Amino acid sequence: MLRYVSKRLGQSLLTIFLTVSTVFVLIRMAPGDPAYALAGPLASTGDLEKIRTSMGLNEPLLTQYGIFLRELAAGNIGKSYSFQAPALDVVMARLPNTVFLAVLAILAAIVVAIPLGVWMAKRADTKRELGVNVLTIAGQSMPDFWIGIMLLTLFAVVIPIFPSSGFTSWSGVVLPVTTVAIMQIALVSRMVRREVGANMTAPYLTVARARGTGEQKLTWAYAMRNSSIPILTTLGTRFAGMLNGVVVVEVVFNWPGLGSLVVRALETRDYPLIQATVLVTSVLAVGVQLLIDLCYPLLDPRVRLGKVSVA
């Protein structure tokens, strides 16, 4: 167990390092000039040159990368160009809002999608299941921004019962969470339907049913338990993805999270802010994945970490 955790921690650190390094190179190869974005269109060539020199952007890429790694080892990501504050502090100030949105959305997905998926599995190939399946496919297919705009138009403009933007009250949470949760519910319910459906027709459940075991126990104690690992993996993957910032939803609802922060950082070519955001979200994502891996033996005693594949 300890060996497995150490190995996974090493892999996680390598993943974070490669992710941060790749982003460091790619954003400097992308078109755009941070000095121009900071100084504006009226800046002279001399002014732009002074700004680039002060930012260290005139140095060779390899030199910039070496300085970045040295500062990163010291816990310094750099100062945000646009906020004129430590980039890591800016990111950490926005992080709770994104985590809050992601937690509520994944809880909504768990509460709705798991019972819905089980319901679909137990009524497989019926007209009612087909109707619900069409709705989940529609929920999975519709883009986030379209769902958000439709909800915004209906419940903030036509029937103004929720605020249209910001996070100033609990009512402001409803529309962003609903927008994010719809796609998660569609994805997770279809996963639950497939896994539980496959277990419901397995021979061991046929034997248990012949011995008089009740349907509730067959469904939740047997079929659902044997489906728990792929379902947990899906939930963890979706949650980690949301921690990277639900960019479109945050922009549509002016949600003060990491997604809208990344959009602003890209617009202003704020390299330290982009790097800090990638670092924090990478740490969170690999942390969630590691936590899920450690939960596998709790769900299925046959799984021995580092010895048996659970894929």
Side-chain angles (χ1 to χ4, degrees), residues 96-267:
N97 293 328
T98 293
V99 172
F100 182 64
L101 181 62
V103 168
L104 289 184
I106 205 68
L107 286 177
I110 292 171
V111 169
V112 177
I114 291 179
L116 180 62
V118 171
W119 184 89
M120 292 166 65
K122 296 182 70 173
R123 291 161 180 79
D125 301 325
T126 63
K127 290 182 179 179
R128 287 187 294 173
E129 189 268 341
L130 178 61
V132 175
N133 204 15
V134 170
L135 292 178
T136 59
I137 293 174
Q140 187 176 343
S141 305
M142 289 186 292
D144 281 349
F145 75 88
W146 188 84
I147 297 173
I149 291 174
M150 290 299 103
L151 291 176
L152 196 63
T153 303
L154 184 59
F155 296 109
V157 179
V158 179
I159 309 172
I161 55 177
F162 297 115
S164 60
S165 65
F167 180 27
T168 56
S169 64
W170 283 101
S171 59
V173 175
V174 176
L175 294 183
V177 169
T178 304
T179 303
V180 178
I182 285 176
M183 178 172 284
Q184 313 309 321
I185 290 170
L187 287 168
V188 175
S189 62
R190 287 172 58 78
M191 159 67 76
V192 173
R193 189 263 185 215
R194 186 181 72 231
E195 295 295 330
V196 174
N199 277 285
M200 292 294 288
T201 56
Y204 75 93
L205 274 194
T206 303
V207 173
R209 190 176 286 111
R211 290 180 175 177
T213 306
E215 281 298 320
Q216 290 294 322
K217 188 173 182 179
L218 289 175
T219 301
W220 294 101
Y222 295 162
M224 190 64 199
R225 182 168 184 176
N226 282 339
S227 306
S228 57
I229 287 183
I231 294 172
L232 178 66
T233 304
T234 300
L235 288 171
T237 303
R238 304 305 305 174
F239 183 66
M242 286 187 282
L243 290 178
N244 289 328
V246 191
V247 177
V248 175
V249 174
E250 291 188 359
V251 171
V252 169
F253 292 99
N254 194 25
W255 185 266
L258 293 182
S260 54
L261 187 67
V262 168
V263 172
R264 177 173 176 177
L266 291 173
E267 289 174 346

Side-chain angles (χ1 to χ4, degrees), residues 5-48:
V5 173
S6 302
K7 182 180 177 182
R8 289 287 286 114
L9 282 175
Q11 292 173 344
S12 300
L13 290 175
L14 179 61
T15 301
I16 294 169
F17 174 76
L18 292 176
T19 302
V20 172
S21 298
T22 302
V23 170
F24 179 91
V25 175
L26 290 181
I27 59 175
R28 280 161 177 77
M29 293 175 64
D33 186 352
Y36 182 82
L38 184 63
L42 300 180
S44 65
T45 304
D47 292 336
L48 293 176

Side-chain angles (χ1 to χ4, degrees), residues 35-89:
Y36 182 82
L38 184 63
L42 300 180
S44 65
T45 304
D47 292 336
L48 293 176
E49 193 64 23
K50 288 180 182 176
I51 294 174
R52 292 192 193 101
T53 303
S54 66
M55 291 178 173
L57 299 176
N58 286 333
E59 299 291 338
L61 183 59
L62 195 59
T63 304
Q64 293 183 45
Y65 182 60
I67 295 172
F68 168 72
L69 290 183
R70 186 183 65 203
E71 294 296 324
L72 181 62
N76 180 22
I77 308 296
K79 181 183 285 188
S80 166
Y81 303 152
S82 51
F83 286 90
Q84 289 299 304
L88 193 58
D89 292 349

